[in-house]
Amino acid sequence: MTTSQSPRPDVSSSGIVAEQHAAAQKKAAADSKKQLVGVYIKGMAMGAADIVPGVSGGTIALISGIYERLINAIGSIGPSLWQVFRQDGGIKGVVAMWRQVDATFLLCLLLGIVTSFATLAGIIKHLLDNQPLLIWSFFFGLVVATVLLLLSEIKRWNVARAVLFITGIITAVTISSLPLLTTAPSLPYLFFAGAIAICAMILPGVSGSFILLLLGAYNAVLDAVDTMNLSVIFTVMAGMATGLLLFTRALKWLLSHYYQGTLALLTGFIAGSLVKVWPWKVDTLGTLNSEAVYNVAPWHYPEGAHWLVTLSLMLLGAVLVSALSWWGHHSKRPKGTAD
C-alpha cells in the first residue's frame, strides 16, 4: 500500500497551504461519478462493519484503499482553512475550502455510512440476537483475510515493526477483555461515548461499536437509530465529530512520516480483534443467550460446531474482503510512498 507524501519540513506554513490547496484541487477534479459511487459503496461497507461490535469500519477503509485519503481529508480540517479561504475569498474561497478538505469524497463516504446505519441496523441487531454464530463466522473470515492481506503489505520487517505489531495485538485483546458497563446513559455521557467510539472506528481493528458496548451505550445508540430518536442521534454525532477532529491530525502525521510502522501497529490491532469476533461464544453458565461473550472451542459449543455453515461463511467473508482489497488497489491513483 502507499501513502501520500508528507510536507517538507523546510517549507513555510503558507507554502504548505498552497501545496495542499493545489493537491486538493487535482484530487477533486480527478474524481469521476463512477469513482464517487465507489466511495459511497465503500462507505456502506464501513457502516455495516461499524454496526457490529468487534469489527471496525477503519478496517474496511484500509483494505479498500481509502484509509489514507480519509485521514488526510479529516486531518486537513483546521485553522489553515481560513488561509485557503482568504486566498480567493467569496464563493471561490468556499469552493477552495471544499476542495481542500476533499469534501465531496467525505460527503459520499458519509452518505454511504448513514445509509448502512439507516437500513442495516435493525437487520444486524436481529442477526446478532438470533443468529450470532452465523454473523460472527462471516466477520471472522473477513478479519482473518484482512490480517493476511495487510501483513503482505509490510515491507522490510525489523524489530521495531514486530514490536509494534505485537503491541497492537495485546492492546486489542486487552480492550476486548474489559468488563461491560451497564449504566443508563445520559445525553452528556452519550456525547463522551461518541467521542471515544469514533476514535476507535477510525483505528482498524478497534471497534467503535465495541467501545460503545464497553461504555454501556451500544443498545441506546442502536435503539435510537432504529426508532429515529433524534436527540440521542445528534448528541452522539456531535461527540463523534469532536473526537474525530481531535484524533485524526495525530494519525495523519504518523501515516505521513512512519507509514510502515503505523501499518504494523494497525495490523496488530486487527489481529487482536479476532478474540472479539470468535464465532463460538457462551455465557458464564456455558449456555447461549444475549450475554454469551466467552469464547469456547467449536466442539464445546452447545449446539455443535456447524462446520459446514461456519466455514462457508468464513470463506465468503475472506472472498469478499479480498475482492474489496483488489478493487481498492485498482481504483487507487498512483501516489508517492513513505516509509
Side-chain angles (χ1 to χ4, degrees), residues 264-288:
L265 180 65
L266 298 181
T267 305
F269 284 147
I270 299 172
S273 72
L274 287 170
V275 173
K276 177 58 185 172
V277 297
W278 180 254
W280 295 277
K281 301 177 185 295
V282 297
D283 61 11
T284 53
L285 300 177
T287 59
L288 303 176

Side-chain angles (χ1 to χ4, degrees), residues 245-259:
L245 294 177
L246 294 176
F247 176 72
T248 50
R249 298 184 72 84
L251 190 54
K252 176 182 178 180
W253 185 88
L254 287 172
L255 285 169
S256 297
H257 293 81
Y258 301 102
Y259 179 75

Side-chain angles (χ1 to χ4, degrees), residues 26-336:
K26 289 181 180 179
K27 184 164 48 182
D31 280 326
S32 65
K33 290 182 179 179
K34 182 178 179 180
Q35 288 172 321
L36 292 176
V37 169
V39 171
Y40 173 80
I41 294 172
K42 291 172 183 178
M44 288 189 65
M46 287 179 63
D50 274 327
I51 294 171
V52 181
V55 185
S56 170
T59 300
I60 303 299
L62 189 58
I63 61 175
S64 64
I66 61 172
Y67 188 73
E68 297 157 62
R69 185 175 179 183
L70 173 61
I71 296 301
N72 286 333
I74 298 172
S76 66
I77 300 174
S80 63
L81 286 179
W82 176 244
Q83 297 181 43
V84 174
F85 175 78
R86 289 181 60 189
Q87 286 182 357
D88 298 305
I91 298 299
K92 289 185 178 179
V94 173
V95 172
M97 291 173 61
W98 180 273
R99 291 175 175 170
Q100 172 66 25
V101 300
D102 205 2
T104 302
F105 162 79
L106 289 177
L107 180 60
C108 290
L109 195 67
L110 180 61
L111 287 174
I113 294 172
V114 170
T115 300
S116 274
F117 272 65
T119 59
L120 299 179
I123 297 173
I124 291 179
K125 187 174 186 294
H126 174 80
L127 290 174
L128 286 170
D129 291 339
N130 298 281
Q131 298 292 341
L133 182 62
L134 303 186
I135 195 167
W136 287 124
S137 295
F138 171 77
F139 280 108
F140 188 84
L142 184 150
V143 174
V144 168
T146 298
V147 171
L148 295 177
L149 286 169
L150 294 180
L151 284 175
S152 68
E153 298 285 350
I154 301 174
K155 313 301 181 185
R156 299 188 302 278
W157 277 95
N158 55 34
V159 174
R161 290 171 187 170
V163 169
L164 287 169
F165 176 69
I166 295 172
T167 300
I169 293 177
I170 294 173
T171 302
V173 170
T174 301
I175 292 173
S176 298
S177 304
L178 293 174
L180 306 182
L181 298 179
T182 57
T183 57
S186 61
L187 288 181
Y189 185 83
L190 287 173
F191 179 92
F192 168 78
I196 299 298
I198 194 63
C199 296
M201 287 180 183
I202 288 295
L203 283 175
V206 182
S207 167
S209 295
F210 184 62
I211 296 299
L212 289 175
L213 198 62
L214 287 176
L215 296 175
Y218 178 74
N219 287 331
V221 173
L222 206 58
D223 289 341
V225 173
D226 207 20
T227 60
M228 292 303 293
N229 186 332
L230 296 183
S231 63
V232 171
I233 292 173
F234 286 138
T235 298
V236 174
M237 288 179 63
M240 287 181 169
T242 302
L244 194 62
L245 294 177
L246 294 176
F247 176 72
T248 50
R249 298 184 72 84
L251 190 54
K252 176 182 178 180
W253 185 88
L254 287 172
L255 285 169
S256 297
H257 293 81
Y258 301 102
Y259 179 75
Q260 288 287 310
T262 304
L263 182 60
L265 180 65
L266 298 181
T267 305
F269 284 147
I270 299 172
S273 72
L274 287 170
V275 173
K276 177 58 185 172
V277 297
W278 180 254
W280 295 277
K281 301 177 185 295
V282 297
D283 61 11
T284 53
L285 300 177
T287 59
L288 303 176
N289 62 21
S290 59
E291 304 299 324
V293 295
Y294 298 98
N295 296 337
V296 296
W299 46 89
H300 291 154
Y301 194 68
E303 295 183 351
H306 297 283
W307 288 114
L308 180 60
V309 175
T310 54
L311 292 179
S312 297
L313 287 169
M314 288 179 189
L315 180 61
L316 176 61
V319 169
L320 288 178
V321 82
S322 299
L324 190 59
S325 176
W326 178 88
W327 182 23
H329 277 78
H330 281 260
S331 63
K332 190 159 48 166
R333 295 184 298 276
K335 298 178 183 178

